[in-house]
Amino acid sequence: MKPNQSLILLLVGLLASCATPPAPDSNTVRLCDSSGCEEVDKSTARFDPSSTVPDADPEGRMPALEKLAKEDPRAAHDLALRLFRGDGVRRNSYQALQWMRDAAERGDLGAQKAVGRLYLTGLEEMGAAPREAEKWLTIAAGRGDKEAEELLAEASAARQNEDAAYQLRTRWRPVFYNSWYSGYRYYWRWVNGIWIY
């Protein structure tokens, strides 16, 4: 090999080693933005999305209503409606049914009728249960509710005949869903930092 060739190879080797960036540290990552690039530790946090999302309930209305719902069945009724509608809380039909049933068990007539309707037609993923509907509608009808009396006759027929049950669900489900979304009124209102009946 001639001296010029070895000099050229040496220069090419030096240039190649300068062009190759050093291997990055396994604990760092290269971040680039409008101000340039830099190596930062992988555990570095630059953005906290929770700091930019406003509190959905800064006044604490929902925890206050839940506390009240444990004491008053009318508040449990309201909480159930809010959970079903997604009004002030994340929509959750399972919890809505639990709270409505709780209100019904503690004697709220509107909740007893609502639970009877729900079991009569089913609710979302929950199928119909005519026997359970009959139980709740009997309680509501026994307290003098005329609509519950009419629905009770249909629930009894549905329990005995699957075709009648299917026709009943098809006929009433849209009506009852509309009640859940807009027909039932709330008992309680949030005023000046407290729930008022």
Side-chain angles (χ1 to χ4, degrees), residues 80-81 84-85 96-97 100 114-115 117-118 123 175-184:
L81 291 177
F84 186 79
R85 295 171 181 166
L97 178 60
M100 190 62 77
V115 169
R117 288 172 150 190
L118 288 172
L123 175 66
V175 173
F176 295 160
Y177 269 55
N178 185 45
S179 293
W180 269 86
Y181 282 112
S182 61
Y184 292 120

